[in-house]
Amino acid sequence: MMERIDAQLAFLTEADKLKSILRATTLCDGSRRENTGEHSWHIALYAMVMAEHAQRPVDINRVIKMLLIHDIVEIDAGDTPIHGDHDPAEMAAIEQAAATRIFGLLPANQAQAFRALWDEFEASATDDAIFAKSIDRVQPVISNIESGGGTWPQYNVTAEQLQTRVGVKVQRGAPAIWDALKARIDAWFAQSRSSSE
Amino acid sequence: MMERIDAQLAFLTEADKLKSILRATTLCDGSRRENTGEHSWHIALYAMVMAEHAQRPVDINRVIKMLLIHDIVEIDAGDTPIHGDHDPAEMAAIEQAAATRIFGLLPANQAQAFRALWDEFEASATDDAIFAKSIDRVQPVISNIESGGGTWPQYNVTAEQLQTRVGVKVQRGAPAIWDALKARIDAWFAQSRSSSE
C-alpha cells in the first residue's frame, strides 16, 4: 500500500512542473502568459459547463479526466503553439517518450490506464476525444479575444487561418460553440481592420 | 441556444480570474506562489489518482467536478490560509455572496447544479465531500515538504498543529494517505530540528 502511495505521490509531484510550462496565450486580462497547469483546469471546467453542446453523445466524466492529463507530456516536450513552426513527426516522438516516462511513475495498472486515455485523446478518433479536442481549441480563442487579439497580431493570424486551424476542429466536436466563437472572431477582425485603417 | 452559450462563456471568462488569486503555498520548486486555478487542476488530478484510498466509497466523477469548482468563490473572497487569522463567520458570508454572484452567471439550471455541488463541498457531510476536503488538504503538505518546509517556518507551524489542522481532515476521508504524509512530515521536522541545533 505504502509503495503504491509513494509512486502516486511521485507522479503528482512531477505533475507540479506543468505549472511552469508557459503557453503562447495570455490570461484574459493580458497580464501574463498562461501556464499549462491552469489551462488544464480551465478546459476541464469548460468541458463540464459545455458538455451539452457535444455534437455526438459523450461520457463527460471521461472527457474531463482526459483533459486533466492531456498536456502533461509538455513537462518534457514544452508547449507547441498551433500558429508556430514545428516538425509534427519529431514532436510526436518527443511526446511519446514523455508519456512513457511520466505516466510510468504511476503504479503499473494506473500507468496503463492513464496512458490509454492520453493515447485516445491524441488519436482523436472516439466521440469523447473529438469533443475533448474541440474544447481544447475553444478556450485560447476566448483568451485571445478578451485580451485584445492576444497572439493573433504577433503571428499575423487571419480569420481564414482560424477557420482552418481552429474552426474545423471545434466544428467537428461542438459546432454550436464554433458558431458562437465565429461571431466573436468576425467582430474582432472587423474592429481590428477598422482601427488600423 | 446562443443565449445559453453566451451565459456559459461569461462564467468561464470570469473563472479565468482564479489564475490571479495567489495562495500561501508555493510551487514544489519554491519558485513562486501557487495560484488557485492551477491548484484546482492539481487537486482534481490528485483525486483522480488517489480515489482508491477513500475511506468510504465515493463517486470519483462527482468528487473531481466538486474540486474543479471548490475554490471559485476566491475570485471575490481571496484565499484564506489555514494557518492565518480570519473570522470564519465573516469569511463564510463573503463566500456565500461570491457563490451567488459567480454561479449566477451560468444558465439557471447550471447555476443551481453548480451551487448545490459547491454547497455540498462546503458542508462536508457526504462521503464525496469528505474525500474531496481530504484531498484539498493533501497537496499543500506535499508542496511544503518539496519546497523545504514552505510556509511552515513563516507561520511557526509545529507537527502537532499540522495533526490538528490538516491531519484530522485528511484522516477523515483518506487515512492511508495521512499515514504516508505523517511519515514525511515527521522526517521533515526531525531534520529541521537537527539542522537548527
Side-chain angles (χ1 to χ4, degrees), chain A residues 2 4 6 8-9 12-13 15-16 19-20 28 32 34-35 37-38 40-42 49-50 52-53 61 68 110 139 142 179-180 184, chain B residues 2 4 6 8-9 12-13 15-16 19 27-28 32 34-35 37-38 40-42 49-50 52-53 61 68 110 139 179-180 184:
Chain A
M2 272 301 159
R4 255 187 100 74
D6 285 344
Q8 290 164 333
L9 288 176
L12 290 164
T13 302
D16 198 75
K19 302 169 189 169
S20 299
C28 287
R32 63 167 172 82
E34 188 186 33
N35 73 61
E38 61 201 3
S40 299
W41 163 71
H42 207 178
V49 169
M50 293 291 203
E52 68 194 61
H53 306 298
N61 297 314
L68 289 175
Q110 287 188 312
Q139 182 247 349
I142 297 294
D179 291 345
R184 286 166 161 77
Chain B
M2 272 300 158
R4 255 187 99 76
D6 285 345
Q8 290 165 333
L9 288 176
L12 289 163
T13 301
D16 198 74
K19 301 169 189 169
L27 302 193
C28 287
R32 63 168 173 81
E34 188 186 35
N35 72 61
E38 61 200 3
S40 298
W41 162 71
H42 207 178
V49 169
M50 293 293 204
E52 68 195 61
H53 306 297
N61 297 314
L68 288 174
Q110 287 189 313
Q139 183 247 350
D179 291 345
R184 286 165 161 77

Short mmCIF file of all heavy atoms in Angstrom, two decimals, chain A residues 2 4 6 8-9 12-13 15-16 19-20 28 32 34-35 37-38 40-42 49-50 52-53 61 68 110 139 142 179-180 184, chain B residues 2 4 6 8-9 12-13 15-16 19 27-28 32 34-35 37-38 40-42 49-50 52-53 61 68 110 139 179-180 184:
data_model
loop_
_atom_site.label_atom_id
_atom_site.label_comp_id
_atom_site.label_asym_id
_atom_site.label_seq_id
_atom_site.Cartn_x
_atom_site.Cartn_y
_atom_site.Cartn_z
N MET A 2 1.87 1.29 0.93
CA MET A 2 2.74 2.48 1.01
C MET A 2 3.53 2.67 -0.28
O MET A 2 3.75 3.81 -0.71
CB MET A 2 3.71 2.35 2.19
CG MET A 2 3.14 2.87 3.50
SD MET A 2 2.66 4.64 3.39
CE MET A 2 1.52 4.73 4.77
N ARG A 4 2.52 1.90 -3.25
CA ARG A 4 1.57 2.48 -4.22
C ARG A 4 1.44 3.99 -4.00
O ARG A 4 1.51 4.77 -4.95
CB ARG A 4 0.19 1.84 -4.03
CG ARG A 4 -0.17 0.83 -5.11
CD ARG A 4 -1.61 0.35 -4.99
NE ARG A 4 -2.49 1.02 -5.94
CZ ARG A 4 -2.53 0.77 -7.25
NH1 ARG A 4 -1.73 -0.11 -7.77
NH2 ARG A 4 -3.37 1.42 -8.04
N ASP A 6 3.52 5.97 -2.53
CA ASP A 6 4.78 6.62 -2.89
C ASP A 6 4.85 6.88 -4.40
O ASP A 6 5.26 7.95 -4.84
CB ASP A 6 5.98 5.75 -2.47
CG ASP A 6 6.23 5.79 -0.96
OD1 ASP A 6 5.68 6.70 -0.30
OD2 ASP A 6 6.95 4.92 -0.45
N GLN A 8 2.33 7.09 -6.50
CA GLN A 8 1.31 8.07 -6.86
C GLN A 8 1.77 9.49 -6.52
O GLN A 8 1.60 10.43 -7.30
CB GLN A 8 -0.01 7.73 -6.16
CG GLN A 8 -0.64 6.46 -6.74
CD GLN A 8 -1.73 5.87 -5.87
OE1 GLN A 8 -1.73 6.04 -4.64
NE2 GLN A 8 -2.66 5.15 -6.48
N LEU A 9 2.40 9.65 -5.35
CA LEU A 9 2.88 10.97 -4.96
C LEU A 9 4.05 11.41 -5.85
O LEU A 9 4.21 12.60 -6.14
CB LEU A 9 3.29 11.00 -3.48
CG LEU A 9 2.13 10.95 -2.47
CD1 LEU A 9 2.66 10.88 -1.04
CD2 LEU A 9 1.20 12.16 -2.61
N LEU A 12 2.38 12.76 -8.92
CA LEU A 12 1.68 14.02 -8.65
C LEU A 12 2.67 15.16 -8.39
O LEU A 12 2.39 16.31 -8.71
CB LEU A 12 0.72 13.83 -7.46
CG LEU A 12 -0.50 12.95 -7.78
CD1 LEU A 12 -1.19 12.48 -6.51
CD2 LEU A 12 -1.48 13.70 -8.68
N THR A 13 3.81 14.85 -7.81
CA THR A 13 4.84 15.87 -7.58
C THR A 13 5.50 16.25 -8.90
O THR A 13 5.75 17.43 -9.17
CB THR A 13 5.87 15.36 -6.56
OG1 THR A 13 5.19 15.04 -5.35
CG2 THR A 13 6.94 16.40 -6.28
N ALA A 15 4.00 16.13 -11.74
CA ALA A 15 2.96 16.89 -12.45
C ALA A 15 3.00 18.38 -12.09
O ALA A 15 2.60 19.23 -12.89
CB ALA A 15 1.58 16.31 -12.14
N ASP A 16 3.48 18.70 -10.89
CA ASP A 16 3.57 20.10 -10.45
C ASP A 16 4.33 20.96 -11.46
O ASP A 16 4.07 22.16 -11.58
CB ASP A 16 4.26 20.16 -9.08
CG ASP A 16 4.02 21.48 -8.36
OD1 ASP A 16 2.90 21.68 -7.85
OD2 ASP A 16 4.95 22.32 -8.32
N LYS A 19 2.93 23.53 -14.07
CA LYS A 19 2.60 24.92 -13.72
C LYS A 19 3.69 25.90 -14.17
O LYS A 19 3.51 27.12 -14.09
CB LYS A 19 2.39 25.04 -12.20
CG LYS A 19 1.30 24.14 -11.66
CD LYS A 19 1.31 24.09 -10.12
CE LYS A 19 0.36 23.01 -9.60
NZ LYS A 19 0.55 22.77 -8.15
N SER A 20 4.82 25.37 -14.59
CA SER A 20 5.92 26.23 -15.06
C SER A 20 6.11 26.16 -16.57
O SER A 20 7.05 26.74 -17.10
CB SER A 20 7.23 25.83 -14.35
OG SER A 20 7.10 26.01 -12.95
N CYS A 28 -6.92 36.15 -19.72
CA CYS A 28 -7.91 37.02 -20.37
C CYS A 28 -7.59 38.50 -20.16
O CYS A 28 -7.89 39.32 -21.03
CB CYS A 28 -9.32 36.72 -19.84
SG CYS A 28 -10.00 35.16 -20.46
N ARG A 32 -0.24 38.28 -18.12
CA ARG A 32 0.92 37.39 -18.24
C ARG A 32 0.53 36.19 -19.10
O ARG A 32 -0.64 35.99 -19.37
CB ARG A 32 1.40 36.92 -16.86
CG ARG A 32 0.38 36.08 -16.10
CD ARG A 32 1.00 35.37 -14.89
NE ARG A 32 -0.01 34.73 -14.07
CZ ARG A 32 -0.54 33.52 -14.32
NH1 ARG A 32 -0.18 32.84 -15.40
NH2 ARG A 32 -1.45 33.00 -13.51
N GLU A 34 -0.22 32.33 -19.96
CA GLU A 34 -0.89 31.26 -19.22
C GLU A 34 0.05 30.06 -19.10
O GLU A 34 0.83 29.80 -20.01
CB GLU A 34 -2.14 30.86 -20.01
CG GLU A 34 -3.06 29.91 -19.30
CD GLU A 34 -4.19 29.43 -20.21
OE1 GLU A 34 -3.97 29.29 -21.42
OE2 GLU A 34 -5.29 29.20 -19.68
N ASN A 35 -0.02 29.33 -17.98
CA ASN A 35 0.74 28.09 -17.90
C ASN A 35 -0.18 26.89 -18.14
O ASN A 35 -1.41 27.00 -18.07
CB ASN A 35 1.51 27.99 -16.57
CG ASN A 35 0.61 27.72 -15.38
OD1 ASN A 35 -0.07 26.69 -15.33
ND2 ASN A 35 0.58 28.65 -14.43
N GLY A 37 -0.68 24.13 -16.48
CA GLY A 37 -1.44 23.61 -15.34
C GLY A 37 -2.79 24.31 -15.22
O GLY A 37 -3.84 23.66 -15.18
N GLU A 38 -2.77 25.63 -15.19
CA GLU A 38 -4.03 26.38 -15.04
C GLU A 38 -4.90 26.25 -16.29
O GLU A 38 -6.13 26.21 -16.20
CB GLU A 38 -3.76 27.85 -14.69
CG GLU A 38 -2.97 28.61 -15.74
CD GLU A 38 -2.28 29.87 -15.20
OE1 GLU A 38 -2.34 30.16 -14.00
OE2 GLU A 38 -1.65 30.57 -16.02
N SER A 40 -5.13 23.54 -18.03
CA SER A 40 -5.76 22.22 -17.91
C SER A 40 -6.98 22.29 -17.00
O SER A 40 -8.00 21.62 -17.24
CB SER A 40 -4.75 21.19 -17.38
OG SER A 40 -3.66 21.07 -18.27
N TRP A 41 -6.88 23.08 -15.93
CA TRP A 41 -8.04 23.28 -15.06
C TRP A 41 -9.16 23.97 -15.83
O TRP A 41 -10.32 23.54 -15.80
CB TRP A 41 -7.67 24.14 -13.83
CG TRP A 41 -8.89 24.71 -13.16
CD1 TRP A 41 -9.83 24.03 -12.44
CD2 TRP A 41 -9.35 26.07 -13.23
NE1 TRP A 41 -10.83 24.88 -12.04
CE2 TRP A 41 -10.56 26.14 -12.50
CE3 TRP A 41 -8.84 27.25 -13.81
CZ2 TRP A 41 -11.27 27.33 -12.36
CZ3 TRP A 41 -9.55 28.43 -13.67
CH2 TRP A 41 -10.75 28.47 -12.95
N HIS A 42 -8.79 25.02 -16.55
CA HIS A 42 -9.81 25.84 -17.19
C HIS A 42 -10.58 25.03 -18.24
O HIS A 42 -11.81 25.11 -18.32
CB HIS A 42 -9.16 27.08 -17.81
CG HIS A 42 -10.08 28.25 -17.91
ND1 HIS A 42 -9.69 29.47 -18.40
CD2 HIS A 42 -11.40 28.39 -17.59
CE1 HIS A 42 -10.73 30.31 -18.38
NE2 HIS A 42 -11.77 29.67 -17.89
N VAL A 49 -18.97 22.60 -18.23
CA VAL A 49 -20.04 23.57 -18.49
C VAL A 49 -20.65 23.36 -19.88
O VAL A 49 -21.87 23.53 -20.08
CB VAL A 49 -19.47 25.01 -18.38
CG1 VAL A 49 -20.45 26.04 -18.91
CG2 VAL A 49 -19.09 25.32 -16.93
N MET A 50 -19.84 22.96 -20.85
CA MET A 50 -20.24 22.95 -22.27
C MET A 50 -20.66 21.58 -22.78
O MET A 50 -20.92 21.43 -23.99
CB MET A 50 -19.05 23.44 -23.12
CG MET A 50 -18.68 24.89 -22.92
SD MET A 50 -19.98 25.97 -23.58
CE MET A 50 -19.07 27.49 -23.88
N GLU A 52 -23.24 19.85 -22.93
CA GLU A 52 -24.49 19.73 -23.69
C GLU A 52 -24.33 20.08 -25.17
O GLU A 52 -25.23 19.77 -25.96
CB GLU A 52 -25.55 20.65 -23.05
CG GLU A 52 -25.22 22.13 -23.23
CD GLU A 52 -26.05 23.05 -22.33
OE1 GLU A 52 -25.96 22.91 -21.10
OE2 GLU A 52 -26.79 23.89 -22.86
N HIS A 53 -23.23 20.73 -25.54
CA HIS A 53 -23.06 21.14 -26.94
C HIS A 53 -22.24 20.14 -27.76
O HIS A 53 -21.92 20.42 -28.92
CB HIS A 53 -22.39 22.52 -27.01
CG HIS A 53 -23.12 23.56 -26.21
ND1 HIS A 53 -24.42 23.93 -26.50
CD2 HIS A 53 -22.76 24.28 -25.11
CE1 HIS A 53 -24.81 24.85 -25.62
NE2 HIS A 53 -23.83 25.07 -24.76
N ASN A 61 -17.52 12.53 -17.96
CA ASN A 61 -16.54 12.20 -16.91
C ASN A 61 -15.21 11.73 -17.52
O ASN A 61 -14.15 12.08 -17.03
CB ASN A 61 -17.11 11.14 -15.98
CG ASN A 61 -18.34 11.65 -15.26
OD1 ASN A 61 -18.35 12.76 -14.74
ND2 ASN A 61 -19.39 10.85 -15.23
N LEU A 68 -7.71 16.61 -18.01
CA LEU A 68 -6.83 16.83 -16.86
C LEU A 68 -5.40 16.35 -17.15
O LEU A 68 -4.44 16.90 -16.61
CB LEU A 68 -7.36 16.13 -15.60
CG LEU A 68 -8.62 16.75 -14.97
CD1 LEU A 68 -9.12 15.88 -13.82
CD2 LEU A 68 -8.34 18.17 -14.47
N GLN A 110 -2.31 1.89 -13.11
CA GLN A 110 -2.70 3.27 -13.41
C GLN A 110 -1.89 3.83 -14.57
O GLN A 110 -2.41 4.58 -15.40
CB GLN A 110 -2.53 4.15 -12.18
CG GLN A 110 -3.59 3.89 -11.12
CD GLN A 110 -3.55 4.90 -9.99
OE1 GLN A 110 -2.49 5.18 -9.44
NE2 GLN A 110 -4.70 5.45 -9.64
N GLN A 139 -10.94 27.47 -25.62
CA GLN A 139 -10.51 28.39 -24.56
C GLN A 139 -9.47 29.42 -25.03
O GLN A 139 -9.59 30.60 -24.71
CB GLN A 139 -10.00 27.57 -23.35
CG GLN A 139 -9.56 28.40 -22.17
CD GLN A 139 -8.05 28.29 -21.95
OE1 GLN A 139 -7.38 27.46 -22.54
NE2 GLN A 139 -7.52 29.15 -21.08
N ILE A 142 -11.13 32.41 -26.79
CA ILE A 142 -11.73 33.36 -25.84
C ILE A 142 -10.65 34.21 -25.17
O ILE A 142 -10.78 35.43 -25.05
CB ILE A 142 -12.57 32.61 -24.77
CG1 ILE A 142 -13.75 31.87 -25.43
CG2 ILE A 142 -13.06 33.56 -23.68
CD1 ILE A 142 -14.80 32.77 -26.05
N ASP A 179 -20.09 28.31 -33.83
CA ASP A 179 -20.94 29.40 -34.32
C ASP A 179 -20.82 30.62 -33.40
O ASP A 179 -20.72 31.76 -33.87
CB ASP A 179 -22.41 28.95 -34.37
CG ASP A 179 -22.65 27.91 -35.46
OD1 ASP A 179 -21.78 27.76 -36.35
OD2 ASP A 179 -23.70 27.24 -35.42
N ALA A 180 -20.81 30.36 -32.10
CA ALA A 180 -20.72 31.47 -31.14
C ALA A 180 -19.34 32.14 -31.22
O ALA A 180 -19.22 33.37 -31.17
CB ALA A 180 -20.98 30.96 -29.71
N ARG A 184 -17.87 36.12 -32.62
CA ARG A 184 -16.95 36.95 -31.85
C ARG A 184 -15.66 37.22 -32.64
O ARG A 184 -15.10 38.30 -32.60
CB ARG A 184 -16.59 36.26 -30.53
CG ARG A 184 -17.71 36.30 -29.49
CD ARG A 184 -17.41 35.30 -28.37
NE ARG A 184 -18.15 35.55 -27.15
CZ ARG A 184 -19.43 35.24 -26.96
NH1 ARG A 184 -20.12 34.71 -27.93
NH2 ARG A 184 -20.01 35.48 -25.80
N MET B 2 -27.95 30.34 -28.40
CA MET B 2 -26.86 31.34 -28.34
C MET B 2 -26.82 32.05 -26.98
O MET B 2 -25.75 32.35 -26.48
CB MET B 2 -27.03 32.37 -29.47
CG MET B 2 -26.36 31.94 -30.77
SD MET B 2 -24.55 31.67 -30.58
CE MET B 2 -24.25 30.60 -31.98
N ARG B 4 -27.70 30.77 -24.16
CA ARG B 4 -27.09 29.81 -23.22
C ARG B 4 -25.58 29.84 -23.34
O ARG B 4 -24.87 29.90 -22.34
CB ARG B 4 -27.59 28.39 -23.53
CG ARG B 4 -28.62 27.88 -22.56
CD ARG B 4 -28.96 26.42 -22.79
NE ARG B 4 -28.26 25.53 -21.86
CZ ARG B 4 -28.58 25.37 -20.58
NH1 ARG B 4 -29.56 26.06 -20.05
NH2 ARG B 4 -27.91 24.55 -19.81
N ASP B 6 -23.71 32.19 -24.53
CA ASP B 6 -23.21 33.47 -24.04
C ASP B 6 -23.06 33.46 -22.52
O ASP B 6 -22.05 33.93 -21.97
CB ASP B 6 -24.17 34.62 -24.44
CG ASP B 6 -24.04 34.97 -25.93
OD1 ASP B 6 -23.04 34.55 -26.56
OD2 ASP B 6 -24.93 35.65 -26.45
N GLN B 8 -22.73 30.83 -20.57
CA GLN B 8 -21.67 29.88 -20.20
C GLN B 8 -20.29 30.49 -20.42
O GLN B 8 -19.40 30.36 -19.58
CB GLN B 8 -21.85 28.59 -21.01
CG GLN B 8 -23.08 27.80 -20.56
CD GLN B 8 -23.51 26.72 -21.54
OE1 GLN B 8 -23.27 26.83 -22.75
NE2 GLN B 8 -24.18 25.70 -21.04
N LEU B 9 -20.13 31.21 -21.53
CA LEU B 9 -18.83 31.84 -21.80
C LEU B 9 -18.56 32.98 -20.81
O LEU B 9 -17.41 33.22 -20.42
CB LEU B 9 -18.75 32.34 -23.25
CG LEU B 9 -18.62 31.25 -24.32
CD1 LEU B 9 -18.65 31.88 -25.72
CD2 LEU B 9 -17.33 30.43 -24.13
N LEU B 12 -17.26 31.22 -17.77
CA LEU B 12 -15.92 30.66 -17.99
C LEU B 12 -14.87 31.76 -18.10
O LEU B 12 -13.71 31.57 -17.70
CB LEU B 12 -15.93 29.77 -19.24
CG LEU B 12 -16.71 28.46 -19.05
CD1 LEU B 12 -17.05 27.81 -20.40
CD2 LEU B 12 -15.93 27.48 -18.17
N THR B 13 -15.25 32.91 -18.63
CA THR B 13 -14.32 34.03 -18.72
C THR B 13 -14.08 34.63 -17.33
O THR B 13 -12.96 34.96 -16.97
CB THR B 13 -14.85 35.09 -19.71
OG1 THR B 13 -15.00 34.45 -20.98
CG2 THR B 13 -13.89 36.26 -19.84
N ALA B 15 -14.23 32.93 -14.62
CA ALA B 15 -13.41 31.92 -13.92
C ALA B 15 -11.92 32.12 -14.18
O ALA B 15 -11.09 31.75 -13.35
CB ALA B 15 -13.84 30.52 -14.36
N ASP B 16 -11.58 32.70 -15.32
CA ASP B 16 -10.17 32.95 -15.65
C ASP B 16 -9.45 33.72 -14.54
O ASP B 16 -8.25 33.56 -14.35
CB ASP B 16 -10.09 33.75 -16.97
CG ASP B 16 -8.70 33.68 -17.61
OD1 ASP B 16 -8.36 32.61 -18.16
OD2 ASP B 16 -7.95 34.67 -17.54
N LYS B 19 -6.93 32.38 -11.83
CA LYS B 19 -5.49 32.21 -12.11
C LYS B 19 -4.65 33.35 -11.54
O LYS B 19 -3.43 33.28 -11.53
CB LYS B 19 -5.26 32.12 -13.64
CG LYS B 19 -6.01 30.97 -14.30
CD LYS B 19 -5.96 31.08 -15.83
CE LYS B 19 -6.90 30.08 -16.48
NZ LYS B 19 -7.08 30.34 -17.94
N LEU B 27 4.92 26.70 -5.49
CA LEU B 27 5.12 25.50 -6.30
C LEU B 27 6.11 24.60 -5.56
O LEU B 27 6.84 25.04 -4.67
CB LEU B 27 5.70 25.85 -7.67
CG LEU B 27 4.89 26.81 -8.56
CD1 LEU B 27 5.46 26.79 -9.99
CD2 LEU B 27 3.42 26.47 -8.57
N CYS B 28 6.18 23.33 -5.96
CA CYS B 28 7.10 22.38 -5.32
C CYS B 28 8.55 22.84 -5.40
O CYS B 28 9.34 22.56 -4.50
CB CYS B 28 6.96 20.99 -5.96
SG CYS B 28 5.44 20.14 -5.48
N ARG B 32 7.75 30.27 -6.98
CA ARG B 32 6.75 31.35 -6.85
C ARG B 32 5.54 30.79 -6.11
O ARG B 32 5.42 29.58 -5.93
CB ARG B 32 6.32 31.88 -8.22
CG ARG B 32 5.64 30.84 -9.10
CD ARG B 32 4.98 31.48 -10.33
NE ARG B 32 4.48 30.48 -11.26
CZ ARG B 32 3.32 29.83 -11.13
NH1 ARG B 32 2.52 30.07 -10.10
NH2 ARG B 32 2.95 28.93 -12.02
N GLU B 34 1.74 29.64 -5.58
CA GLU B 34 0.78 28.92 -6.43
C GLU B 34 -0.49 29.75 -6.56
O GLU B 34 -0.88 30.45 -5.62
CB GLU B 34 0.46 27.59 -5.74
CG GLU B 34 -0.37 26.65 -6.57
CD GLU B 34 -0.79 25.41 -5.79
OE1 GLU B 34 -1.04 25.51 -4.57
OE2 GLU B 34 -0.86 24.34 -6.40
N ASN B 35 -1.13 29.68 -7.74
CA ASN B 35 -2.44 30.34 -7.85
C ASN B 35 -3.56 29.30 -7.75
O ASN B 35 -3.32 28.10 -7.89
CB ASN B 35 -2.53 31.19 -9.13
CG ASN B 35 -2.64 30.37 -10.39
OD1 ASN B 35 -3.60 29.61 -10.56
ND2 ASN B 35 -1.66 30.49 -11.28
N GLY B 37 -6.13 28.67 -9.64
CA GLY B 37 -6.51 27.95 -10.85
C GLY B 37 -5.70 26.67 -11.01
O GLY B 37 -6.25 25.58 -11.16
N GLU B 38 -4.38 26.82 -10.95
CA GLU B 38 -3.51 25.64 -11.12
C GLU B 38 -3.65 24.69 -9.93
O GLU B 38 -3.56 23.46 -10.10
CB GLU B 38 -2.05 26.07 -11.34
CG GLU B 38 -1.43 26.86 -10.21
CD GLU B 38 -0.21 27.68 -10.61
OE1 GLU B 38 0.17 27.70 -11.80
OE2 GLU B 38 0.38 28.34 -9.71
N SER B 40 -6.41 24.10 -8.42
CA SER B 40 -7.65 23.36 -8.67
C SER B 40 -7.42 22.23 -9.65
O SER B 40 -8.00 21.14 -9.51
CB SER B 40 -8.74 24.31 -9.21
OG SER B 40 -9.03 25.32 -8.25
N TRP B 41 -6.58 22.47 -10.66
CA TRP B 41 -6.22 21.38 -11.59
C TRP B 41 -5.48 20.28 -10.83
O TRP B 41 -5.79 19.10 -10.97
CB TRP B 41 -5.31 21.91 -12.71
CG TRP B 41 -4.59 20.80 -13.41
CD1 TRP B 41 -5.14 19.86 -14.23
CD2 TRP B 41 -3.20 20.47 -13.28
NE1 TRP B 41 -4.16 18.97 -14.64
CE2 TRP B 41 -2.96 19.33 -14.08
CE3 TRP B 41 -2.11 21.03 -12.58
CZ2 TRP B 41 -1.70 18.73 -14.18
CZ3 TRP B 41 -0.86 20.45 -12.69
CH2 TRP B 41 -0.67 19.31 -13.48
N HIS B 42 -4.51 20.70 -10.01
CA HIS B 42 -3.65 19.71 -9.38
C HIS B 42 -4.44 18.80 -8.44
O HIS B 42 -4.26 17.59 -8.42
CB HIS B 42 -2.52 20.43 -8.63
CG HIS B 42 -1.27 19.61 -8.51
ND1 HIS B 42 -0.13 20.07 -7.92
CD2 HIS B 42 -0.97 18.34 -8.90
CE1 HIS B 42 0.81 19.12 -7.96
NE2 HIS B 42 0.32 18.07 -8.55
N VAL B 49 -6.06 10.25 -9.16
CA VAL B 49 -5.01 9.26 -8.89
C VAL B 49 -5.25 8.53 -7.57
O VAL B 49 -4.96 7.34 -7.44
CB VAL B 49 -3.63 9.97 -8.87
CG1 VAL B 49 -2.54 9.05 -8.33
CG2 VAL B 49 -3.26 10.47 -10.27
N MET B 50 -5.78 9.24 -6.58
CA MET B 50 -5.84 8.74 -5.21
C MET B 50 -7.20 8.16 -4.82
O MET B 50 -7.41 7.81 -3.64
CB MET B 50 -5.53 9.89 -4.24
CG MET B 50 -4.10 10.42 -4.31
SD MET B 50 -2.92 9.16 -3.70
CE MET B 50 -1.54 10.19 -3.18
N GLU B 52 -8.68 5.43 -4.94
CA GLU B 52 -8.74 4.12 -4.27
C GLU B 52 -8.51 4.21 -2.77
O GLU B 52 -8.78 3.24 -2.05
CB GLU B 52 -7.69 3.20 -4.90
CG GLU B 52 -6.25 3.62 -4.60
CD GLU B 52 -5.19 2.95 -5.48
OE1 GLU B 52 -5.25 3.15 -6.72
OE2 GLU B 52 -4.33 2.26 -4.95
N HIS B 53 -7.98 5.33 -2.29
CA HIS B 53 -7.68 5.45 -0.86
C HIS B 53 -8.80 6.11 -0.05
O HIS B 53 -8.63 6.38 1.15
CB HIS B 53 -6.37 6.24 -0.65
CG HIS B 53 -5.22 5.65 -1.41
ND1 HIS B 53 -4.75 4.39 -1.18
CD2 HIS B 53 -4.47 6.15 -2.42
CE1 HIS B 53 -3.74 4.13 -2.01
NE2 HIS B 53 -3.56 5.18 -2.78
N ASN B 61 -16.18 10.80 -10.04
CA ASN B 61 -16.52 11.81 -11.04
C ASN B 61 -17.16 13.04 -10.39
O ASN B 61 -16.88 14.18 -10.79
CB ASN B 61 -17.45 11.21 -12.09
CG ASN B 61 -16.78 10.09 -12.85
OD1 ASN B 61 -15.64 10.22 -13.29
ND2 ASN B 61 -17.46 8.97 -13.00
N LEU B 68 -13.06 20.91 -9.08
CA LEU B 68 -12.85 21.89 -10.15
C LEU B 68 -13.48 23.24 -9.80
O LEU B 68 -13.00 24.29 -10.25
CB LEU B 68 -13.41 21.38 -11.48
CG LEU B 68 -12.64 20.23 -12.15
CD1 LEU B 68 -13.38 19.73 -13.38
CD2 LEU B 68 -11.22 20.67 -12.53
N GLN B 110 -27.89 25.27 -14.65
CA GLN B 110 -26.50 25.00 -14.28
C GLN B 110 -26.09 25.78 -13.04
O GLN B 110 -25.35 25.28 -12.19
CB GLN B 110 -25.56 25.35 -15.44
CG GLN B 110 -25.64 24.33 -16.58
CD GLN B 110 -24.56 24.55 -17.62
OE1 GLN B 110 -24.34 25.66 -18.07
NE2 GLN B 110 -23.90 23.47 -18.02
N GLN B 139 -2.44 18.13 -0.95
CA GLN B 139 -1.50 18.73 -1.91
C GLN B 139 -0.60 19.82 -1.29
O GLN B 139 0.61 19.83 -1.56
CB GLN B 139 -2.29 19.25 -3.12
CG GLN B 139 -1.42 19.83 -4.23
CD GLN B 139 -1.63 21.34 -4.37
OE1 GLN B 139 -2.54 21.89 -3.78
NE2 GLN B 139 -0.75 21.99 -5.11
N ASP B 179 -1.26 8.57 6.72
CA ASP B 179 -0.13 7.78 7.21
C ASP B 179 1.13 8.08 6.39
O ASP B 179 2.22 8.26 6.95
CB ASP B 179 -0.43 6.27 7.15
CG ASP B 179 -1.51 5.86 8.15
OD1 ASP B 179 -1.80 6.66 9.07
OD2 ASP B 179 -2.07 4.76 8.00
N ALA B 180 0.96 8.14 5.07
CA ALA B 180 2.11 8.41 4.20
C ALA B 180 2.64 9.83 4.41
O ALA B 180 3.85 10.07 4.46
CB ALA B 180 1.73 8.21 2.74
N ARG B 184 6.36 11.55 6.18
CA ARG B 184 7.15 12.62 5.54
C ARG B 184 7.24 13.86 6.44
O ARG B 184 8.27 14.52 6.50
CB ARG B 184 6.52 13.01 4.20
CG ARG B 184 6.73 11.96 3.09
CD ARG B 184 5.79 12.25 1.92
NE ARG B 184 6.18 11.63 0.67
CZ ARG B 184 6.02 10.35 0.38
NH1 ARG B 184 5.47 9.52 1.25
NH2 ARG B 184 6.41 9.87 -0.79
#
